[in-house]
């Protein structure tokens, strides 16, 4: 029997309107994600960006502007506002999100010296969150992904999911992107499609996998 997991990436206060690194329209995905969380996936996982203070991705520690790119420990690093700092309200899941439905929460970006977009590994593949092992332990075949942001943490998570061998679907109306450079979101979707990732709406996924739930609603 095919086993399926839902991964909800970084639906946290700092990525919502009014947050330190707000994704345009980030709050609009919450009703979609909440509907997905009510579906009988075998496993439901949430990820949280969870940075220590003075994290290497913060423009403030380098005296540079947000959006600038520098080299940190041999790797390219885009600089962001201070965000999702451990212990702050900004790092918490959105209050409206039905996060009690998660079977597991994984934390990323916890190493002060390495950024981590993916819910699986840091950007230099030095540290694992344990998500891949967790999904394998539960014999997951298919991974369905929603969250923030399409062109960064969703994209990187999907790339790692495919590299680990999971059949992957992105629920596109459950995602929003930053588009730091115009066209980034479209390019990210193209990259995912080239990896064999399916791009579907929440309704399409529900109708295909759990039609009785769609009819009940």
């Amino acid at each position: 029997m095919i086993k399926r997991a839902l991964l909800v990436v970084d639906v946290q206060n700092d990525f919502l309107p009014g947050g330190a690194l707000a994704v345009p329209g980030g709050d609009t995905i919450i009703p979609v994600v909440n509907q997905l969380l009510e579906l009988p996936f075998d496993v439901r996982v949430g990820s949280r960006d969870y940075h220590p203070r003075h994290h290497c991705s913060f423009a403030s520690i380098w005296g540079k502007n947000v959006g600038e790119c520098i080299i940190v420990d041999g790797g390219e690093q885009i600089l962001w506002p201070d965000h999702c700092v451990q212990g702050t309200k900004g790092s918490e899941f959105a209050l409206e999100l039905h996060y009690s439905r998660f079977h597991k929460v994984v934390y990323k970006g916890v190493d002060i010296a390495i950024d981590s977009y993916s819910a699986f590994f840091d950007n230099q593949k030095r540290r694992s969150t344990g998500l891949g092992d967790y999904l394998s332990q539960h014999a997951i075949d298919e991974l369905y992904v929603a969250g923030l942001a399409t062109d960064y943490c969703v994209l990187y998570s999907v790339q790692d999911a495919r590299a680990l061998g999971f059949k992957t679907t992105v629920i596109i109306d459950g995602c929003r992107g930053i588009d730091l450079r115009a066209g980034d979101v479209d390019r990210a979707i193209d990259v995912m499609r080239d990896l064999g990732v399916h791009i579907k709406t929440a309704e399409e996924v529900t109708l295909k996998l759990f039609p009785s739930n769609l009819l009940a609603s």
Side-chain angles (χ1 to χ4, degrees):
M1 184 176 68
I2 293 174
K3 298 192 72 173
R4 302 177 176 96
L6 173 68
L7 171 62
V8 177
V9 179
D10 298 2
V11 183
Q12 297 167 259
N13 291 321
D14 267 346
F15 296 129
L16 302 182
L21 182 49
V23 177
D27 56 331
T28 66
I29 73 168
I30 294 176
V32 176
V33 172
N34 283 342
Q35 290 175 8
L36 295 168
L37 285 169
E38 296 306 315
L39 298 175
F41 285 95
D42 297 287
V43 166
R44 296 178 295 275
V45 180
S47 72
R48 284 179 67 181
D49 225 20
Y50 205 59
H51 298 306
R53 297 184 185 277
H54 312 300
H55 189 258
C56 70
S57 69
F58 297 165
S60 61
I61 74 164
W62 302 103
K64 294 185 178 293
N65 297 318
V66 170
E68 286 190 57
C69 190
I70 63 172
I71 301 299
V72 176
D73 197 16
E76 192 175 86
Q77 176 66 60
I78 297 174
L79 298 178
W80 305 103
D82 294 25
H83 65 280
C84 295
V85 175
Q86 296 174 11
T88 66
K89 183 178 180 181
S91 73
E92 295 174 1
F93 286 126
L95 185 62
E96 299 84 3
L97 183 71
H98 296 171
Y99 53 84
S100 63
R101 297 285 293 168
F102 292 137
H103 295 107
K104 183 176 179 64
V105 175
V106 295
Y107 295 83
K108 60 193 192 62
V110 298
D111 189 322
I112 196 169
I114 309 173
D115 208 0
S116 183
Y117 297 151
S118 170
F120 290 89
F121 302 101
D122 66 64
N123 289 359
Q124 297 192 37
K125 300 294 191 294
R126 296 179 183 176
R127 179 193 293 267
S128 167
T129 65
L131 176 56
D133 290 340
Y134 179 80
L135 296 177
S136 294
Q137 288 163 8
H138 286 79
I140 296 300
D141 304 292
E142 298 180 358
L143 182 65
Y144 293 78
V145 183
L148 304 170
T150 313
D151 39 347
Y152 286 94
C153 297
V154 170
L155 171 62
Y156 278 63
S157 297
V158 164
Q159 288 174 315
D160 285 342
R162 291 295 295 133
L164 292 170
F166 295 106
K167 182 178 178 181
T168 306
T169 297
V170 169
I171 303 170
I172 199 62
D173 53 336
C175 301
R176 290 292 183 277
I178 295 174
D179 239 12
L180 187 64
R181 296 168 299 181
D184 277 353
V185 171
D186 289 339
R187 284 187 287 270
I189 293 170
D190 287 342
V191 168
M192 291 188 282
R193 282 199 171 107
D194 287 345
L195 291 172
V197 174
H198 298 285
I199 309 296
K200 301 291 184 182
T201 66
E203 184 174 353
E204 288 171 332
V205 168
T206 305
L207 185 60
K208 178 182 177 181
L209 301 183
F210 312 110
S212 60
N213 290 78
L214 189 63
L215 292 172
S217 64

